[in-house]
Amino acid sequence: MALLDDSKLLISPGSLVVVTGANGFIATHILDQLLQRGYRVRGTVRSVSKNQWVKDYFEKHYGPGKIELVEVPDMTVDGVYDDIVKGASGFVHVAAPLMSSPDPHTTIPLIVDSTLRVLEAAAKEPGMKRVVLTSSSGSCVVPTPNKVFTIDSNMWNEDAVKAAYGPPSDNIFQQLGTVYAASKTKGEQAAWQWMREHKPPFALNTIIPNANLGPPFDKAHQGSRSTLNWIGITLEKGETVSPHDLPGFIPQHYVDVRDCAALHVAALIYPDVNGERLFAFAAPFAWNDFLRVFKKTFPDRKFSEEISDQSKDLSKVTNERAEELVKRLTGHGWKSLQDAVGDAAKAMDA
Ligand SMILES: NC(=O)c1ccc[n+]([C@@H]2O[C@H](COP(=O)([O-])OP(=O)(O)OC[C@H]3O[C@@H](n4cnc5c(N)ncnc54)[C@H](OP(=O)(O)O)[C@@H]3O)[C@@H](O)[C@H]2O)c1
């Protein structure tokens, strides 16, 4: 791990950072990287008793007094973070449901309102220096295989917003994806609009990740969360697995969850990252690439045959700035798909 030069940081090690959804796949990696670098963390969870393992795990690795968990059963309530933010220098808002409801009238307000509660609370803490919001590739675009196009920071997924409020799709998976993308679009837009209207003393950066792949900290608690279920299903089905078994698996870009977490930390602590949308997209991948990692990682096991007519993600994304920040913080560029999926598969198989 590259050492941090305190004099060049906006937020120094030892400072307190609030992270929402602290038990989630990406958030636990953010916690790990903050704690590794000497920051203190106040994590919010919907239930402290159910998520005690998070505190236990990180206390075991980094010692007592570095992490606390606070219960936030409803992240949309007015003033919900007002006490939680006290004494904090940074706020990373990660929590969001992933494709869990087909109803735009509940999902979109949940994401918008919870994002505004974070910014409102941050503005009440005089020591607040930076807010980082986990957005999604869905705020710009939905993966569209075999089409050549560019993804940049001026892009917004207005199509998903229109479709979400239109007649619901008969395909439940498509409906969930559309509503999720619309919620992340409206949530991120609301954050930037709030910043323009209120001009607080802190800056906002947003992280726009595509598919996160990588190891969980705790297989029992995290193994079926988020994209980790792709790994679990592939291990379980082995010889018979097909891309149709993996919910949401289509050619798109991957990012190693550890790089995604590093990008969140860089966006939080580097003074020159000020008001940016940062793309956590490493490289495109498709089914055969994913499958090859399993075959290489477990050479003695059988996995299904490659498919001959697979489609590809041909989009080009402006991810150079994000990779520069990951490199600055970690000393390396984007981790490979082999690292991301291979480490995830080994952890899920243990
Ligand atoms: N994984 C990806 O590939 C990916 C890609 C792009 C963007 N993202 C974004 O990254 C963030 C984290 O995702 P993840 O992959 O780490 O998923 P995850 O493991 O499912 O974590 C989601 C977190 O959000 C919390 N949450 C869900 N619904 C909530 C609600 N209604 N109220 C309060 N908290 C709620 C969860 O708490 P509970 O345990 O209580 O449900 C959990 O802490 C999300 O903002 C997601 O949109 C993820």
Side-chain angles (χ1 to χ4, degrees):
M1 186 180 74
L3 287 176
L4 295 175
D5 177 352
D6 280 24
S7 64
K8 293 193 180 141
L9 300 177
L10 178 74
I11 301 178
S12 307
S15 307
L16 178 67
V17 178
V18 177
V19 180
T20 65
N23 59 318
F25 177 42
I26 298 176
T28 41
H29 281 277
I30 298 172
L31 258 52
D32 185 53
Q33 299 206 17
L34 287 169
L35 292 165
Q36 250 184 60
R37 294 180 166 85
Y39 293 92
R40 292 177 298 123
V41 174
R42 184 173 290 151
T44 73
V45 286
R46 283 202 274 192
S47 160
V48 168
S49 60
K50 276 194 198 150
N51 293 298
Q52 184 59 31
W53 70 269
V54 176
K55 190 161 186 271
D56 294 344
Y57 177 91
F58 287 110
E59 284 199 334
K60 193 169 152 208
H61 285 78
Y62 298 108
K66 309 274 171 42
I67 173 164
E68 58 182 304
L69 289 185
V70 185
E71 194 154 291
V72 175
D74 181 349
M75 59 183 178
T76 64
V77 171
D78 272 343
V80 66
Y81 295 116
D82 287 2
D83 285 335
I84 292 170
V85 83
K86 283 187 181 148
S89 308
F91 203 143
V92 188
H93 181 39
V94 191
L98 267 79
M99 313 225 321
S100 66
S101 164
D103 179 6
H105 302 289
T106 53
T107 306
I108 294 174
L110 170 69
I111 298 299
V112 170
D113 293 350
S114 61
T115 303
L116 296 178
R117 295 302 88 83
V118 166
L119 292 165
E120 289 157 5
K124 290 179 188 158
E125 167 49 53
M128 183 56 60
K129 293 183 176 143
R130 189 59 69 71
V131 173
V132 176
L133 169 69
T134 314
S135 183
S136 165
S137 52
S139 74
C140 295
V141 72
V142 285
T144 313
N146 295 339
K147 184 179 164 195
V148 179
F149 63 106
T150 301
I151 303 171
D152 66 33
S153 60
N154 296 315
M155 208 164 184
W156 291 103
N157 200 345
E158 301 298 352
D159 288 351
V161 176
K162 207 169 143 199
Y165 287 117
S169 166
D170 293 340
N171 176 334
I172 181 65
F173 187 75
Q174 191 179 341
Q175 179 67 12
L176 289 171
T178 300
V179 170
Y180 171 69
S183 74
K184 298 301 276 190
T185 306
K186 294 298 275 180
E188 195 194 335
Q189 286 177 332
W192 289 118
Q193 188 180 337
W194 189 96
M195 292 296 290
R196 283 191 295 276
E197 283 172 10
H198 294 83
K199 300 183 176 43
F202 57 83
L204 169 72
N205 292 310
T206 62
I207 310 299
I208 304 177
N210 207 165
N212 273 256
L213 295 166
F217 285 95
D218 182 311
K219 185 174 99 176
H221 289 100
Q222 297 185 299
S224 55
R225 299 199 77 97
S226 185
T227 37
L228 281 164
N229 67 359
W230 291 354
I231 309 290
I233 294 168
T234 307
L235 286 170
E236 190 190 308
K237 296 209 157 212
E239 231 174 327
T240 64
V241 70
S242 97
H244 306 295
D245 296 322
L246 277 48
F249 193 102
I250 30 175
Q252 56 191 295
H253 281 59
Y254 78 92
V255 63
D256 188 302
V257 67
R258 295 162 288 197
D259 289 343
C260 184
L263 188 58
H264 280 78
V265 175
L268 184 75
I269 65 174
Y270 288 138
D272 61 308
V273 194
N274 196 331
E276 296 190 42
R277 299 182 81 202
L278 297 161
F279 289 96
F281 282 53
F285 77 113
W287 178 246
N288 292 344
D289 309 307
F290 185 75
L291 204 55
R292 270 178 225 140
V293 176
F294 283 85
K295 292 181 178 178
K296 192 169 170 191
T297 309
F298 303 107
D300 299 334
R301 290 198 209 168
K302 289 216 177 311
F303 292 94
S304 54
E305 295 297 319
E306 293 189 10
I307 49 179
S308 54
D309 58 344
Q310 70 169 0
S311 48
K312 287 189 176 145
D313 177 358
L314 301 178
S315 65
K316 292 266 172 283
V317 58
T318 53
N319 59 356
E320 300 82 2
R321 167 70 164 160
E323 186 173 24
E324 182 254 307
L325 292 170
V326 169
K327 248 184 212 159
R328 201 195 300 176
L329 188 70
T330 65
H332 63 74
W334 301 121
K335 282 180 179 288
S336 65
L337 186 70
Q338 177 66 43
D339 282 345
V341 176
D343 288 354
K346 282 185 250 165
M348 292 285 285
D349 194 55

